[in-house]
Amino acid sequence: MSQKVLITGANGQLGKELVELFTEKGFEVYGFGRDKMDITNQAQVQEIIGFVKPNIVIHSAAHTQVDLAESEPEQAFLVNAYGTRNVAVAAEAVGAKLVYVSTDYVFDGTNDEPYNEFSPTSPLGVYGKSKLAGEQFVRDLHSKFFIVRTSWVYGKHGANFVKTMLKLGKERKELSVVADQRGCPTYTLDLANAILELVDTQKYGVYHVSNSGDCSWYEFAKEIFNISGITVQINPCTTGDFPRPAARPSYSVFAHTALYLNNFTKMRRWEDALEDFLKS
């Protein structure tokens, strides 16, 4: 009997990667985008999850537009908090393991050393607050969960920083990129593989999953052009040079303490993952 996995946000950047990987690994995959399952509709979520009766639910659907969330906080909380509650309640009712994909935005970025899974949370903006509220619903309403916080995600599906840089690098001779925010780039394929490894266990809890090492957006951009062989002048700038509605954590580097203490595979360095992605 192959295991059934239900994936929310199946049309998203990570969701598509998860659908592909779990299908390839022989799972019976049920992928739902917003068009097929509206996570803010509790009756619909319960009906679908109750009908499918998955062994695993991977909840990757989210309101991820960080700046937009500042001007529509109710929508962000409806999707990220109550949508997550609806998925957690329905997953618990059928006895499924639950993976909730969360974010580095639950931290305020004032640390000067990497954040581990036990570091106190303190989100700056609506997006981070709404995702943290989702985490709390998962903790309160589900008994077999993995909260997977990730950061700076990119991959072959959807829009992301790597694709934006490649596009701009072809159009312009010179770019300014923020140099005073540090974090951990994460390749969706590596993130999906880590989730695959987690759900095969009962080592429930909170996990920080990103590629290893850290960089600024400026250093990230330089490496993208370096690997791609694109010549472009990149100038470091500050967050203040590009004001945005939502505050970003200036330092959201992850320590992978939970992966390490639970003997999971070490995440490879971000430079190696990026090279693999750009050459694939």
Side-chain angles (χ1 to χ4, degrees):
M1 281 292 290
S2 65
Q3 291 218 325
K4 290 184 189 175
V5 59
L6 184 145
I7 298 166
T8 71
N11 300 328
Q13 174 168 241
L14 174 61
K16 282 186 174 168
E17 194 83 67
L18 287 164
V19 168
E20 287 171 11
L21 180 67
F22 277 77
T23 302
E24 185 191 308
K25 298 293 182 188
F27 287 78
E28 200 176 314
V29 177
Y30 296 82
F32 289 91
R34 196 178 344 177
D35 52 337
K36 302 270 187 348
M37 181 169 76
D38 174 3
I39 61 168
T40 67
N41 179 335
Q42 188 168 38
Q44 189 185 40
V45 171
Q46 283 179 321
E47 185 187 349
I48 290 172
I49 291 179
F51 178 75
V52 174
K53 294 190 173 53
N55 307 96
I56 300 157
V57 172
I58 305 176
H59 178 36
S60 74
H63 182 304
T64 55
Q65 290 170 289
V66 179
D67 290 317
L68 189 61
E70 294 299 313
S71 56
E72 49 174 57
E74 289 178 347
Q75 186 62 23
F77 277 96
L78 181 63
V79 174
N80 293 341
Y82 291 119
T84 300
R85 173 203 61 190
N86 296 342
V87 172
V89 168
E92 180 71 7
V94 298
K97 294 177 180 179
L98 174 64
V99 178
Y100 171 53
V101 181
S102 192
T103 171
D104 57 323
Y105 278 67
V106 299
F107 298 113
D108 62 14
T110 57
N111 257 24
D112 50 12
E113 59 181 24
Y115 286 95
N116 70 28
E117 291 80 358
F118 304 102
S119 302
T121 52
S122 170
L124 295 171
V126 170
Y127 170 67
K129 287 173 181 166
S130 65
K131 289 294 288 182
L132 184 60
E135 287 189 12
Q136 197 56 53
F137 276 129
V138 168
R139 292 170 190 265
D140 291 345
L141 301 169
H142 205 281
S143 55
K144 300 188 293 191
F145 65 80
F146 302 91
I147 290 171
V148 175
R149 294 182 185 141
T150 191
S151 61
W152 295 26
V153 175
Y154 68 90
K156 64 184 172 189
H157 303 293
N160 55 62
F161 182 77
V162 179
K163 288 185 184 174
T164 301
M165 286 299 115
L166 291 173
K167 181 172 174 292
L168 291 175
K170 293 193 176 87
E171 294 168 359
R172 299 187 196 168
K173 297 271 185 285
E174 200 171 342
L175 293 172
S176 294
V177 182
V178 173
D180 60 357
Q181 292 174 26
R182 292 194 80 75
C184 307
T186 308
Y187 180 19
T188 46
L189 182 59
D190 290 2
L191 175 55
N193 272 303
I195 290 170
L196 179 70
E197 193 181 357
L198 286 172
V199 297
D200 194 34
T201 73
Q202 295 181 332
K203 295 179 177 180
Y204 304 117
V206 181
Y207 288 87
H208 287 177
V209 181
S210 65
N211 285 111
S212 298
D214 63 273
C215 60
S216 66
W217 292 108
Y218 167 71
E219 290 162 344
F220 192 10
K222 275 182 39 171
E223 191 67 16
I224 292 165
F225 294 126
N226 183 27
I227 293 169
S228 306
I230 297 170
T231 307
V232 56
Q233 170 70 37
I234 312 178
N235 304 314
C237 67
T238 68
T239 304
D241 293 335
F242 286 100
R244 308 277 283 279
R248 269 71 173 162
S250 61
Y251 181 91
S252 60
V253 177
F254 280 158
H256 300 139
T257 309
L259 288 177
Y260 171 70
L261 294 177
N262 288 288
N263 299 314
F264 285 108
T265 306
K266 186 177 183 335
M267 298 296 289
R268 61 178 166 167
R269 283 199 61 86
W270 69 269
E271 298 95 333
D272 298 335
L274 179 63
E275 183 159 13
D276 250 22
F277 170 64
L278 290 171
K279 303 215 159 151
S280 63

